[in-house]
Amino acid sequence: MTAQPAFPNLFQPLSIGGVTVRNRIVSTGHDTTMPTDGTVNDRLVAYHRARAAGGVGLIVCQVTGVHESARYTNHVLMGADEGCIEGFAKLADAVHAEGTTLFVQLFHPGREMTESLDGTAPVAWAPSVSPSERFHVIPRALTLGVIREIVAGYGATAARLQRAGVDGVEIVASHGYLPAQFLNPAVNRREDDYGGSDENRRRFLQEAIEAARAATSPEFVVGLRISGDEMHEGGLTPDISLDAIRSLADKIDYVSVVAGSSASLGGAVHIVPPMYLEPGYVAPFAARVKKAVAVPVIVTGRINQPQEAERIVASGAADMCGMTRALICDPQMPAKAQAGRFDDIRACIGCNQACIGHFHKGHTISCIQHPESGRELSFGTLRPASTRRKVMVIGGGPGGMKTAAVAALRGHEVTLHEAEAQLGGQARLAQLLPRRGEFGGIITNLQNELERSGAQVLTRSRVDRELIEKASPEVVILATGATPLWPSQFHYDGKGQVVDAWQVLQGGVNTGGSVVVADWKGDWIGMGIAELLAERGCHVRLAVNGLFAGELLQSYVRDANAARLHALGVEIIPYARLFGRDEDNVYLQHTASGEAMIIEDVATLVLAQGHSPDTALQDGLGDFEGQLIAIGDCQMPRSCEEAVLEGLRAAWSI
């Protein structure tokens, strides 16, 4: 009897307009921060080639401006002149060579201008003078002349992309960008042919679609991306979006549905939803669309595992699934899934740290688990070691695990020593915070890489100088991590309970009913501990040595956290430097004015003051004759991302 495939629907081909896509997995349009001078470059080609080689069916390349006023970042792709064709042709050739279909997004942000291009604010256009809350932009109303220019730009850019060999275009009406602004009666208050009625508010989008269609041949695909629910007050509702989709369905070859909007903090969380949101949560709206239209439907929103995508496609809710972060985390995910190599798949954990987090900082996107992503030109092809060496890795946190796995795959003889009974380091604590259990996936994923690599792993193995001399390694990689930092300039005589965040997470601490969390770092720890204790019924004050809570977190993660803390009644005190503690009170100092702030009747002070590097072993190896490399927190406490990246680099340097 022939065994049934694990994914009978996910790897079926699908016809979209004049093209056939080999499977139902999509890398949806997402900014990469890779383009330079508005054009496709070798780095972007290598990035998408890696995903095409990994078996993805469809790649939708990131937003491409159709008009000069569409430059919403200084690294946006532009399609407004003939200079774009050469780069897109290289991209199309690279993607097609691997059997993948390529579409490109046609884009205008309207009022959603996210950054200054040269230190001065650009002019932002919108249907009406309707301020954008998130970026504090007050746009000017589009004139009829500029509307005509932008509409013509959709057609002209589509024609250039077809000449470049691209298979189709996707008009971006999602996330509160310009076409969505025209659809939204709260934003579009025009009284001419582009406003005042549902039909008129759809006119701009309809004309953009018609312009792209008229400028290209019949087999060239023209699709639409739209947010079903913009998830904020005054945003597009599912009914408005569905009516717009129905009215335009005979003019498009497919529709791609998402959620959220760039216009507000709450709506923006859904642009790249963090781990707090349920996998596949946009699928119910996609199912409504699927029943209403005859064209294929793509759905995106926290679909990070092939089994989730299979379930959605099998249910009939959608024809294809956007799995962008899953593909950033593991470009080979489709091929692994199709081959039944399920344990080999490196699952995205929805942390948002190095993907959208890098984009928001103006850096090339990557992945904390797979730093090879975005660095394909440097690390895309594993280079075998020229000489096999004996390598000892000390510390089994994420950085140590990555080092050991990559070094072993390169051909070295690798032994990893971990003092505890389990691998994972601080990631084992991170997963204990509310709604962060998925973070523990980084441990599982790296353990799987270790097992496949052939590296030897020894747990409950505490390393000292004697053990190193006995093992006689040629290379020692120190990944010994860090411990909680208790500030030295902290006035405390032992009266009144003081504990650190690790002690709270490890259990056994009775905090009492009134707690102050002193957060120096502004990362996930302070906010997470505050949420944990508030959920237990404590009255929590989160005192932040910064401008706001979660200052170092990716904004969608931070804002989702902030919403929950507000609902739980957590009081947030910014500009707060920890000064001291006595039996009843906690003493803070305003970081700008220096004035005292006193919090009375505090049962427990919880310290989230950062970490101190564990350098004890390193300090004793100053005369080690072999190669000695320190990575991660034992070099300087930072985050999991730096530890894994430094582990990769260390393994390549041997």
Side-chain angles (χ1 to χ4, degrees):
M1 181 180 293
T2 303
Q4 292 295 314
F7 303 106
N9 298 281
L10 196 58
F11 291 98
Q12 292 297 315
L14 178 69
S15 294
I16 303 178
V19 303
T20 298
V21 182
R22 63 179 169 183
N23 61 49
R24 310 302 181 92
I25 300 173
V26 186
S27 174
T28 60
H30 59 287
D31 274 301
T32 61
T33 330
M34 294 179 190
T36 48
D37 301 321
T39 59
V40 173
N41 56 15
D42 290 345
R43 177 182 279 187
L44 187 62
V45 171
Y47 172 80
H48 285 302
R49 181 190 287 118
R51 279 130 198 91
V56 68
L58 170 63
I59 288 174
V60 184
C61 185
Q62 66 195 71
V63 293
T64 299
V66 300
H67 186 265
E68 278 302 310
S69 59
R71 293 182 183 270
Y72 83 134
T73 69
N74 58 21
H75 43 76
V76 67
L77 283 176
M78 293 298 295
D81 61 52
E82 301 296 296
C84 72
I85 295 176
E86 181 181 358
F88 279 115
K90 291 179 180 178
L91 179 60
D93 288 346
V95 168
H96 289 158
E98 303 292 347
T100 297
T101 303
L102 177 67
F103 299 160
V104 175
Q105 291 186 315
L106 300 185
F107 175 74
H108 196 293
R111 65 181 185 168
E112 298 303 311
M113 301 298 285
T114 65
E115 66 180 36
S116 167
L117 303 183
D118 63 356
T120 63
V123 173
W125 297 89
S128 306
V129 181
S130 300
S132 171
E133 177 183 87
R134 182 177 172 210
F135 298 116
H136 299 282
V137 170
I138 302 176
R140 64 166 298 182
L142 280 157
T143 65
L144 289 175
V146 177
I147 289 176
R148 294 188 189 102
E149 287 180 17
I150 294 172
V151 167
Y154 281 96
T157 303
R160 293 182 187 109
L161 291 168
Q162 183 172 34
R163 293 204 299 276
V166 171
D167 300 301
V169 292
E170 179 177 275
I171 293 175
V172 178
S174 61
H175 299 132
Y177 297 122
L178 185 59
Q181 292 161 32
F182 272 97
L183 294 174
N184 189 343
V187 179
N188 180 357
R189 300 187 305 279
R190 300 177 74 96
E191 297 179 356
D192 58 8
D193 289 346
Y194 292 92
S197 68
D198 291 343
E199 181 182 1
N200 283 355
R201 284 191 291 269
R202 295 174 192 143
R203 191 179 307 278
F204 177 85
L205 179 53
Q206 177 180 322
E207 290 181 352
I209 293 169
E210 290 172 344
R213 182 70 77 195
T216 56
S217 60
E219 71 275 7
F220 190 73
V221 173
V222 177
L224 170 68
R225 194 180 209 204
I226 189 167
S227 293
D229 188 339
E230 291 190 344
M231 300 286 192
H232 71 99
E233 187 74 24
L236 286 182
T237 64
D239 288 342
I240 293 175
S241 296
L242 187 58
D243 286 346
I245 293 167
R246 281 197 190 101
S247 72
L248 298 165
D250 63 342
K251 302 179 187 302
I252 56 177
D253 294 310
Y254 74 93
V255 59
S256 177
V257 296
V258 289
S261 170
S262 178
S264 74
L265 296 182
V269 166
H270 300 273
I271 296 176
V272 186
M275 67 180 73
Y276 316 124
L277 289 155
E278 288 297 316
Y281 72 104
V282 185
F285 178 77
R288 292 180 63 188
V289 175
K290 190 80 175 74
K291 291 178 181 178
V293 302
V295 296
V297 175
I298 301 171
V299 65
T300 301
R302 277 276 284 149
I303 306 171
N304 64 352
Q305 293 272 31
Q307 58 267 32
E308 292 162 1
E310 171 69 23
R311 175 182 55 80
I312 290 168
V313 174
S315 73
D319 299 286
M320 303 186 77
C321 291
M323 303 184 71
T324 303
R325 281 177 293 171
L327 290 159
I328 296 172
C329 185
D330 192 342
Q332 291 286 321
M333 179 270 293
K336 292 176 181 178
Q338 191 168 18
R341 297 165 49 205
F342 312 126
D343 290 342
D344 290 355
I345 294 172
R346 184 186 307 104
C348 168
I349 58 175
C351 70
N352 282 7
Q353 187 170 331
C355 49
I356 188 67
H358 274 206
F359 165 71
H360 283 161
K361 294 177 180 178
H363 305 309
T364 297
I365 66 167
S366 187
C367 176
I368 69 167
Q369 301 188 76
H370 188 61
E372 292 92 336
S373 280
R375 299 181 175 92
E376 285 79 9
L377 294 178
S378 299
F379 300 112
T381 302
L382 191 68
R383 187 181 68 227
S386 57
T387 304
R388 179 176 170 86
R389 305 179 74 187
K390 187 175 183 181
V391 179
M392 175 184 279
V393 179
I394 305 170
M401 287 193 282
K402 183 68 174 181
T403 310
V406 175
L409 287 170
R410 293 191 62 227
H412 295 298
E413 179 190 345
V414 180
T415 302
L416 181 142
H417 295 259
E418 165 56 41
E420 303 294 330
Q422 293 177 294
L423 300 174
Q426 289 185 54
R428 291 168 51 207
L429 295 174
Q431 67 184 339
L432 300 177
L433 289 171
R435 277 158 288 278
R436 284 189 67 88
E438 205 167 336
F439 197 87
I442 193 171
I443 304 172
T444 303
N445 292 334
L446 285 168
Q447 279 182 306
N448 288 338
E449 289 186 33
L450 264 178
E451 291 172 5
R452 294 193 303 272
S453 74
Q456 182 183 14
V457 177
L458 301 176
T459 55
R460 294 189 176 93
S461 177
R462 189 170 297 278
V463 176
D464 55 19
R465 178 66 183 257
E466 182 180 355
L467 180 60
I468 294 172
E469 290 175 347
K470 183 178 179 180
S472 299
E474 298 168 83
V475 182
V476 171
I477 308 291
L478 293 166
T480 49
T483 55
L485 178 66
W486 285 55
S488 57
Q489 295 185 352
F490 170 49
H491 299 272
Y492 176 53
D493 61 4
K495 296 179 180 178
Q497 181 165 244
V498 180
V499 297
D500 59 55
W502 286 25
Q503 292 172 306
V504 173
L505 290 173
Q506 289 164 342
V509 174
N510 181 3
T511 60
S514 177
V515 178
V516 171
V517 179
D519 180 7
W520 181 85
K521 191 72 180 290
D523 59 8
W524 56 268
I525 300 174
M527 293 187 89
I529 291 290
E531 182 178 358
L532 177 71
L533 296 177
E535 286 185 337
R536 292 177 180 174
C538 297
H539 174 212
V540 179
R541 272 72 57 93
L542 176 59
V544 180
N545 190 326
L547 307 181
F548 47 83
E551 193 169 354
L552 295 188
L553 292 176
Q554 190 276 325
S555 61
Y556 305 158
V557 175
R558 177 192 67 228
D559 295 339
N561 282 1
R564 292 197 305 275
L565 292 183
H566 177 75
L568 288 166
V570 173
E571 180 184 350
I572 297 175
I573 306 169
Y575 292 93
R577 178 188 300 125
L578 180 62
F579 183 82
R581 165 75 158 138
D582 62 20
E583 187 171 0
D584 298 310
N585 308 315
V586 168
Y587 300 91
L588 308 169
Q589 192 175 28
H590 195 282
T591 56
S593 70
E595 294 182 0
M597 298 186 286
I598 302 173
I599 304 177
E600 299 178 339
D601 300 322
V602 178
T604 301
L605 169 65
V606 180
L607 301 178
Q609 296 284 298
H611 299 91
S612 177
D614 184 349
T615 63
L617 184 57
Q618 184 177 359
D619 293 342
L621 293 174
D623 58 347
F624 177 68
E625 294 182 357
Q627 186 177 359
L628 185 66
I629 305 172
I631 66 166
D633 280 4
C634 74
Q635 183 162 245
M636 188 183 94
R638 287 154 294 161
S639 75
C640 189
E641 178 186 358
E642 288 81 14
V644 175
L645 175 58
E646 289 174 3
L648 172 67
R649 288 174 171 161
W652 272 68
S653 72
I654 302 169

